[in-house]
Amino acid sequence: MYKAPVDQIAFTLRHVAGLEAVLGEGRFGDLSGDLVDAILVEAGRFASDEIAPRAEAGDRRGATLRDGRVTTPEGWPALYRAWAEAGWNSLTAQPAVGGQGLPHMLHVATMEMWNGGSMAFAIGPTLTIGAVEALSAHGSQTLKQTYLPKMVSGEWMGSMNLTEPHAGSDLGVMKTRAERRDDGTYRIFGQKIFITYGEHDFTDNIVHLVLARLPDAPAGTRGISLFLVPKFLVSADGALGARNDVFCHSIEHKLGIHASPTCTMIYGDGRFGDEPGAIGWLVGEENKGLACMFTMMNNARLAVGMQGVAIAEAATQKAVAYARERTQGKAPGWQGAGMSPIVEHPDVTRMLLTMTALTQGARAITYACAHAIDMSHVTDGDEARHWAERASLLTPIAKSFATDAGVDVASLGIQVHGGMGFIEETGAARLYRDARIAPIYEGTNGIQAIDLVTRKLPLSDGVQIKGFIEELKAIARAVAASSDPAFGETPSRLEASLADLEAATAWLGKALADGRQAEALAGATPYQRLFGLALTGAYLAKGALADAGDGRRGERTALCRFAAENLMAETAALKDRIVNGAASLATARAVLG
Amino acid sequence: MYKAPVDQIAFTLRHVAGLEAVLGEGRFGDLSGDLVDAILVEAGRFASDEIAPRAEAGDRRGATLRDGRVTTPEGWPALYRAWAEAGWNSLTAQPAVGGQGLPHMLHVATMEMWNGGSMAFAIGPTLTIGAVEALSAHGSQTLKQTYLPKMVSGEWMGSMNLTEPHAGSDLGVMKTRAERRDDGTYRIFGQKIFITYGEHDFTDNIVHLVLARLPDAPAGTRGISLFLVPKFLVSADGALGARNDVFCHSIEHKLGIHASPTCTMIYGDGRFGDEPGAIGWLVGEENKGLACMFTMMNNARLAVGMQGVAIAEAATQKAVAYARERTQGKAPGWQGAGMSPIVEHPDVTRMLLTMTALTQGARAITYACAHAIDMSHVTDGDEARHWAERASLLTPIAKSFATDAGVDVASLGIQVHGGMGFIEETGAARLYRDARIAPIYEGTNGIQAIDLVTRKLPLSDGVQIKGFIEELKAIARAVAASSDPAFGETPSRLEASLADLEAATAWLGKALADGRQAEALAGATPYQRLFGLALTGAYLAKGALADAGDGRRGERTALCRFAAENLMAETAALKDRIVNGAASLATARAVLG
């Protein structure tokens, strides 16, 4: 059973991502290390003791739809309410609307734990919190007053309605339409698909944020507006009124996250209300809906990255526990009586260490991204811009590297279990199934790579990426300067990987500058992976250099060395693919018909 | 819907694996190219038109157990009977027992197709054919006369009973026991788990081959005997008699291959018969059971490799079809109206070409292995030994590389589908679920790697592996000699990968010779992957050099070049991991507690 890795999380937050320094500077007011620890311990308790025990049964039962009503697994509505009542939904929201105003790092750290307990559970709150962010940033005073306090407390949940059958990665072609009404409201008509927790029995009301197109809107993404559409209308005194003209038409039969209802939502077909049309309120300006969505999109992407970290952590815990328990054969050098635990077999050791290194690397990258977000909020001017850019740069890597790691680590986790891994009751299979959606939603990892290469590398004319690589090189130099033989070949390995990153970055920059768009895009995914691997090496080294006083420095150094000497060599292959792979990719396109 | 790739299969058999030359030499009597084609076409029709359409419903319903009886999905028993009646079960069995005596290559080629149609269906016949092989090689005349004709015709199916709860990879610790009886029979007592098609409604009788231990047997793997235990006893005239004391206690709730019942079998608890004990007949000699099993183990491993090829093929077909249909965004250089098909986006092109290259590479490796098996049967003396060694060498690579490719390609297949990939009805998810067992059963891929490094590399004191690498180098030289610019950097890339293979082979040989067993085993899985990748490159090149007169040489050359310039660079990283990774792996072991 998953146990939230509170110590590991606290260590990564403080000594790798940068919280320790920030606490020392007092940038977050009276937030102290003790308070951080207390929050993490309490969240860990809830994730381990309340959420995790309900994950398997939730997966088995799944969510069901009958007569437009979605029923989540037994005990799940109560679980959600207990979670919200404990204040976990309001961690980072502003105090003015009932939030606790804590740094984003704590949101990310707790998100990892909820997802570690059950990804199907955690994805609901993830979207609510995204809706809170969008509404906080762009909603009118009235909308905010009416909806935010209850969405922050968790009394109502939110949903995000973007995708349509023909509009997924490309939202510009969406067809859901909005009509203006004289009273300032709008009527929404259309169909949205893949709406996570679009309908459920956790809360009395659900606040849908819906992208739609006005009749006179420009074509493409510049003609999309964002609307708030509550399931039940809300009267001036906050009481729930009539049912709005929106309902859940069907839910999907999915590979994983079974307990999370994935809904097709129908707006404005006349099932409810006096006249057809779901009543909506504009959020932000007309035709600026996509910009409003992007406000929370980066955070949502990072939140999905946390799902990758969480699944990787859960899969690693499960596999390590099994490999220490299960005996089979005799490993080389095994001196014990009888068969050796399979963890002693070098091939199993390799799988488990790879899982551990990828998990910790993904965690470090995602937390570093959250740290950058926090820093952008507590700084000004150039410094704020620097941190906002850093967060922008790290977001696609955090999302993609962590979610790919989730899939890869969950797959290795099954392999470690042998035949038992294929049996659903073992639980390793659920992680493998759940993990698979994360590289897809909130922008496929291919979309993340395009974003990384075409929008993030050019930030500040390349100054941001150059500066970041320099920081990473400084870590490599610090390892070398430590002269600790336990690091083995880490310094040269890290240096080589960072040189690969630098060369690939330069090549992509040149390709884009030369207008060789297709060539740059052909290398985007390998580049994203290369970046994530290099960061994994650098952050594991940073952690190994840190003196946390917990007596685990030797372990961290050993893991860092393992990653450096076993995983880092892949960066050369990735660089080669970026620099030399595009031509053959273009000519071989014909093979696909 | 899956369509058996008959042309691609025929091409690989003939021009890559080596069938063309053998046909020319008349080694398989009057087997002609036309007959091969006719068989492949007919098998392709059955796989595409009969099996594939039943795969989805079979997955959804799964197999069920009630009162000891297993019910397979509706229509599946009839499907099996139609398949057997068409003669597909008897393809390679000896004519003396009703078989068609065809080369193993045709078995493997048709196995790919059955698995492409439905892996849950094909795994049943796979095990029956394995049982036929073991019985043919080691059974007494009486046993063979009684059982083989009906097992060859498919009237009865077989099952293989090896695994017990504490004995999986290490069969030496199994506890199922056999007692001698005065009439020459034995009584079997014990529990076997993970028994594929251990109970079902396809046939009237099921012939279980069961490993068990005699009371006076030596400890470990040298004390295991093999027994034939029919579900129903068979009288002298071949009629079914009393029910034997064996039954299916439960079936597993699995990640995939839902329609394939995975049974816990109980032997000898007294439920059936006059006295407790399942009646069994010895196959081969007492205490030589594992050797008997190994007779068919290599072929069974190759058969599982075919599952990897089949899943990879099915996933690639599905993804290519979707990517050509689905439009989204505008790819660089897209000149068409509206959105471009996603196949035009470089990142999607890359995924699909990677899937295609891995599928074709895995197919070539498995077919080359089957070819070696066939050659070992039609040659004598040193030549026969050479081919038997080649088959032995290729078997672990064929099993592991193809099944890993199955998982990786199925995962990419989901990614290409975006959100639709996560929806079960799309079918991509089923492939991802089904694929995951293949790297585990018939010896985990880690076990294959140990076998490859410790037993196969030393064959003929290393002469076999050296000779093989020389053959592969000759392919690289032939590409260079072709001076066809369409190959791009293929010659140098191939040469570099083969140099990596050679260096890694030498390093592992030295490590073993020096008694550094743990170091060699630490590199076993990376070595296996390195070998498979190098073979993929070499075999794609061999295919591209072949003149099949089908006008597709340009496509094959383009795909070969893609693989050389995009996938081959990984071999350097793998070699590095083998040669330099073991030390850090050993020191980091402590991280796992």
Side-chain angles (χ1 to χ4, degrees):
Chain A
M1 179 86 72
Y2 172 80
K3 191 158 166 33
V6 173
D7 290 349
Q8 189 67 40
I9 287 174
F11 173 82
T12 310
L13 279 180
R14 291 179 152 208
H15 298 285
V16 182
L19 182 61
E20 196 73 3
V22 179
L23 285 178
E25 293 169 3
R27 298 223 194 213
F28 294 98
D30 55 1
L31 181 72
S32 67
D34 286 349
L35 178 57
V36 169
D37 287 345
I39 291 170
L40 294 178
V41 166
E42 199 50 37
R45 197 203 57 73
F46 196 94
S48 309
D49 300 348
E50 305 296 331
I51 303 177
R54 288 172 174 84
E56 290 291 338
D59 178 68
R60 216 161 38 241
R61 289 175 179 244
T64 52
L65 172 73
R66 201 169 151 183
D67 302 331
R69 300 171 79 94
V70 167
T71 305
T72 59
E74 197 183 333
W76 278 48
L79 174 66
Y80 171 78
R81 279 171 214 136
W83 178 86
E85 277 161 22
W88 295 118
N89 197 61
S90 64
L91 222 53
T92 57
Q94 292 308 306
V97 287
Q100 301 168 56
L102 287 162
H104 202 69
M105 288 178 86
L106 284 167
H107 171 62
V108 162
T110 52
M111 268 294 154
E112 179 192 325
M113 299 194 235
W114 318 138
N115 278 293
S118 165
M119 186 167 146
F121 175 78
I123 185 65
T126 298
L127 289 159
T128 298
I129 293 168
V132 165
E133 285 169 10
L135 204 53
S136 299
H138 304 285
S140 69
Q141 268 317 111
T142 314
L143 281 184
K144 288 201 261 193
Q145 280 165 9
T146 310
Y147 293 97
L148 271 186
K150 289 189 173 168
M151 291 172 75
V152 166
S153 73
E155 188 177 336
W156 296 345
M157 280 176 75
S159 85
M160 309 296 282
N161 293 241
L162 287 72
T163 305
E164 299 177 13
H166 296 282
S169 295
D170 188 348
L171 291 170
V173 295
M174 70 171 51
K175 292 175 181 164
T176 295
R177 67 182 212 279
E179 294 176 1
R180 297 182 189 89
R181 288 291 182 270
D182 293 343
D183 62 357
T185 66
Y186 296 77
R187 293 295 179 280
I188 315 294
F189 305 87
Q191 183 195 37
K192 293 287 182 178
I193 64 169
F194 298 161
I195 307 309
T196 300
Y197 278 91
E199 175 62 37
H200 56 78
D201 53 5
F202 283 4
T203 57
D204 296 333
N205 205 4
I206 304 172
V207 183
H208 306 294
L209 292 190
V210 186
L211 289 180
R213 190 181 287 289
L214 287 162
D216 49 3
T221 52
R222 287 182 190 148
I224 294 173
S225 306
L226 179 63
F227 300 91
L228 182 153
V229 183
K231 177 178 169 185
F232 287 98
L233 301 175
V234 180
S235 64
D237 63 355
L240 293 187
R243 176 74 188 259
N244 205 350
D245 192 15
V246 48
F247 73 99
C248 171
H249 168 269
S250 55
I251 63 175
E252 304 291 352
H253 173 217
K254 304 189 299 293
L255 171 61
I257 54 169
H258 290 160
S260 155
T262 302
C263 306
T264 294
M265 304 297 297
I266 307 286
Y267 289 86
D269 86 331
R271 178 172 297 209
F272 299 100
D274 302 329
E275 55 161 339
I279 302 174
W281 285 264
L282 185 69
V283 177
E285 295 176 44
E286 287 187 353
N287 301 329
K288 298 280 175 67
L290 220 53
C292 298
M293 273 299 188
F294 271 115
T295 302
M296 48 65 63
M297 196 84 93
N298 275 337
N299 290 357
R301 288 175 170 186
L302 179 55
V304 170
M306 299 327 298
Q307 302 191 315
V309 177
I311 293 284
E313 171 69 33
T316 303
Q317 284 186 16
K318 194 177 275 290
V320 170
Y322 183 79
R324 287 166 50 95
E325 182 85 10
R326 168 79 172 177
T327 60
Q328 204 74 178
K330 281 189 201 299
W334 173 246
Q335 304 289 338
M339 299 190 290
S340 46
I342 62 171
V343 66
E344 304 296 346
H345 289 285
D347 192 58
V348 177
T349 312
R350 173 184 296 287
M351 287 193 275
L352 295 171
L353 287 174
T354 302
M355 295 166 76
T356 306
L358 289 176
T359 304
Q360 293 194 16
R363 178 179 291 124
I365 295 168
T366 51
Y367 288 15
C369 184
H371 174 64
I373 293 170
D374 284 334
M375 292 304 290
S376 76
H377 292 157
V378 297
T379 51
D380 302 301
D382 283 351
E383 204 184 351
R385 198 185 60 179
H386 162 76
W387 285 112
E389 286 186 357
R390 175 63 52 86
S392 283
L393 174 65
L394 278 171
T395 297
I397 307 166
K399 195 273 182 181
S400 63
F401 187 78
T403 56
D404 284 344
V407 172
D408 293 345
V409 170
S411 185
L412 282 170
I414 288 186
Q415 191 68 21
V416 169
H417 282 83
M420 289 305 296
F422 203 62
I423 307 302
E424 283 287 358
E425 284 76 3
T426 305
R430 172 175 60 84
L431 298 172
Y432 175 76
R433 290 188 287 99
D434 287 357
R436 198 61 196 77
I437 188 59
I440 294 173
Y441 59 17
E442 287 299 337
T444 67
N445 287 2
I447 296 284
Q448 304 298 324
I450 294 173
D451 177 55
L452 173 62
V453 167
T454 63
R455 293 197 203 96
K456 304 306 171 63
L457 293 190
L459 286 171
S460 286
D461 285 330
V463 170
Q464 173 60 226
I465 174 70
K466 283 204 187 84
F468 191 32
I469 294 176
E470 287 307 319
E471 286 175 35
L472 300 172
K473 284 179 173 174
I475 297 173
R477 283 195 301 273
V479 177
S482 79
S483 298
D484 181 348
F487 275 113
E489 300 299 318
T490 303
S492 63
R493 295 313 185 106
L494 211 46
E495 200 184 324
S497 287
L498 293 170
D500 290 331
L501 176 61
E502 200 160 25
T505 304
W507 189 91
L508 289 170
K510 179 92 168 62
L512 288 174
D514 293 352
R516 288 177 284 124
Q517 187 84 356
E519 287 181 49
L521 293 187
T525 286
Y527 179 74
Q528 190 163 247
R529 166 92 184 158
L530 161 54
F531 212 143
L533 272 178
L535 283 172
T536 294
Y539 284 142
L540 287 176
K542 190 177 177 188
L545 289 169
D547 188 1
D550 59 358
R552 302 189 60 190
R553 195 163 166 177
E555 276 181 32
R556 282 192 280 269
T557 305
L559 185 68
C560 168
R561 183 186 168 197
F562 168 79
E565 297 181 9
N566 279 276
L567 307 182
M568 289 300 111
E570 191 188 328
T571 61
L574 292 161
K575 186 206 82 176
D576 178 66
R577 202 169 298 172
I578 297 158
V579 172
N580 298 311
S584 65
L585 186 128
T587 55
R589 160 68 188 85
V591 173
L592 304 171
Chain B
M1 177 88 73
Y2 171 79
K3 192 159 163 34
V6 173
D7 290 349
Q8 189 68 41
I9 286 174
F11 173 83
T12 309
L13 279 180
R14 292 178 151 208
H15 299 285
V16 182
L19 182 61
E20 196 74 2
V22 179
L23 285 178
E25 294 168 2
R27 298 220 193 215
F28 295 97
D30 55 0
L31 181 72
S32 67
D34 285 349
L35 178 57
V36 169
D37 287 346
I39 291 169
L40 294 179
V41 166
E42 199 50 36
R45 197 203 57 72
F46 195 93
S48 308
D49 299 349
E50 304 296 331
I51 303 176
R54 289 171 174 86
E56 289 291 338
D59 178 69
R60 215 163 37 242
R61 288 175 178 243
T64 52
L65 173 72
R66 199 168 153 185
D67 301 331
R69 300 171 80 93
V70 167
T71 305
T72 58
E74 198 183 332
W76 277 49
L79 174 67
Y80 170 78
R81 281 172 214 135
W83 178 86
E85 278 161 22
W88 294 118
N89 197 61
S90 64
L91 222 52
T92 57
Q94 292 309 305
V97 288
Q100 300 168 56
L102 287 163
H104 202 72
M105 288 179 86
L106 283 168
H107 171 62
V108 162
T110 52
M111 267 296 155
E112 179 192 326
M113 299 194 235
W114 317 140
N115 278 293
S118 165
M119 187 167 146
F121 175 78
I123 185 65
T126 299
L127 290 159
T128 298
I129 292 168
V132 165
E133 285 170 8
L135 204 52
S136 301
H138 303 286
S140 68
Q141 269 316 109
T142 314
L143 281 184
K144 288 202 260 194
Q145 280 166 10
T146 310
Y147 293 96
L148 271 186
K150 289 188 174 169
M151 291 173 75
V152 167
S153 72
E155 188 176 335
W156 297 345
M157 279 175 76
S159 85
M160 309 296 283
N161 293 241
L162 288 72
T163 305
E164 298 177 13
H166 295 283
S169 295
D170 188 348
L171 292 170
V173 296
M174 68 171 51
K175 293 175 181 164
T176 295
R177 67 182 211 278
E179 295 176 359
R180 297 182 191 89
R181 288 292 183 268
D182 293 341
D183 63 356
T185 65
Y186 296 77
R187 293 296 179 279
I188 315 294
F189 304 87
Q191 183 194 37
K192 293 287 182 179
I193 64 169
F194 298 161
I195 309 309
T196 300
Y197 279 91
E199 175 61 38
H200 56 77
D201 54 5
F202 282 5
T203 57
D204 296 333
N205 205 4
I206 304 173
V207 183
H208 305 295
L209 292 189
V210 187
L211 289 180
R213 190 181 287 286
L214 287 162
D216 50 4
T221 52
R222 287 180 190 149
I224 294 173
S225 307
L226 179 63
F227 300 92
L228 181 153
V229 182
K231 176 178 170 185
F232 288 98
L233 301 175
V234 181
S235 65
D237 64 354
L240 292 187
R243 176 72 189 260
N244 204 350
D245 193 14
V246 49
F247 73 100
C248 171
H249 169 270
S250 54
I251 62 175
E252 303 291 352
H253 173 218
K254 304 189 300 292
L255 172 60
I257 53 169
H258 289 160
S260 155
T262 301
C263 306
T264 294
M265 303 298 295
I266 306 287
Y267 289 85
D269 87 330
R271 178 172 297 209
F272 299 100
D274 301 329
E275 54 161 339
I279 303 174
W281 284 265
L282 185 69
V283 178
E285 295 175 44
E286 288 187 350
N287 301 328
K288 298 280 175 66
L290 220 52
C292 299
M293 272 298 186
F294 270 115
T295 301
M296 49 65 62
M297 196 84 94
N298 274 338
N299 290 358
R301 288 176 171 185
L302 179 55
V304 171
M306 300 326 299
Q307 302 191 314
V309 178
I311 293 284
E313 171 69 33
T316 304
Q317 284 186 18
K318 194 178 275 289
V320 170
Y322 183 79
R324 287 165 51 95
E325 182 84 11
R326 168 78 172 177
T327 60
Q328 205 74 178
K330 280 188 202 298
W334 173 247
Q335 303 290 336
M339 299 190 290
S340 47
I342 62 171
V343 65
E344 305 295 347
H345 290 285
D347 192 58
V348 177
T349 312
R350 172 184 296 286
M351 288 192 275
L352 295 171
L353 288 174
T354 301
M355 296 167 75
T356 305
L358 289 176
T359 303
Q360 293 195 15
R363 179 179 291 125
I365 295 168
T366 50
Y367 287 15
C369 184
H371 174 65
I373 293 170
D374 284 334
M375 292 304 289
S376 75
H377 292 157
V378 298
T379 51
D380 302 301
D382 283 353
E383 204 184 352
R385 198 185 61 179
H386 163 75
W387 285 112
E389 285 186 357
R390 175 62 53 84
S392 283
L393 175 63
L394 278 172
T395 298
I397 307 165
K399 195 274 182 180
S400 63
F401 187 78
T403 56
D404 284 344
V407 173
D408 292 345
V409 170
S411 185
L412 282 170
I414 290 185
Q415 191 68 21
V416 168
H417 282 83
M420 289 305 295
F422 203 63
I423 307 302
E424 284 287 358
E425 284 76 4
T426 304
R430 172 174 61 83
L431 298 172
Y432 175 77
R433 290 188 287 98
D434 287 358
R436 197 62 196 77
I437 188 59
I440 293 173
Y441 60 16
E442 288 298 338
T444 66
N445 286 1
I447 295 284
Q448 306 297 324
I450 293 173
D451 177 55
L452 173 62
V453 167
T454 64
R455 292 196 204 96
K456 305 305 171 64
L457 294 190
L459 287 172
S460 287
D461 285 331
V463 170
Q464 173 60 226
I465 174 70
K466 283 204 187 84
F468 191 32
I469 294 176
E470 286 307 319
E471 287 175 34
L472 301 172
K473 284 179 172 175
I475 297 173
R477 283 194 301 273
V479 177
S482 79
S483 298
D484 181 350
F487 275 114
E489 301 298 318
T490 302
S492 62
R493 294 313 184 107
L494 211 45
E495 201 186 324
S497 287
L498 293 170
D500 290 331
L501 176 61
E502 201 161 24
T505 304
W507 189 90
L508 289 169
K510 179 92 169 62
L512 287 174
D514 294 351
R516 288 177 284 123
Q517 187 84 357
E519 286 182 50
L521 294 186
T525 286
Y527 179 74
Q528 190 164 248
R529 167 92 184 159
L530 162 54
F531 212 143
L533 272 179
L535 283 172
T536 295
Y539 284 143
L540 287 177
K542 189 177 177 188
L545 289 168
D547 188 1
D550 60 357
R552 303 189 59 189
R553 196 163 165 179
E555 276 181 32
R556 283 192 280 268
T557 305
L559 185 68
C560 169
R561 182 186 167 196
F562 169 79
E565 297 181 7
N566 280 275
L567 307 182
M568 289 301 110
E570 191 188 327
T571 61
L574 292 161
K575 187 207 79 176
D576 178 67
R577 201 169 299 171
I578 296 158
V579 172
N580 298 312
S584 64
L585 187 128
T587 54
R589 161 67 189 84
V591 173
L592 304 170

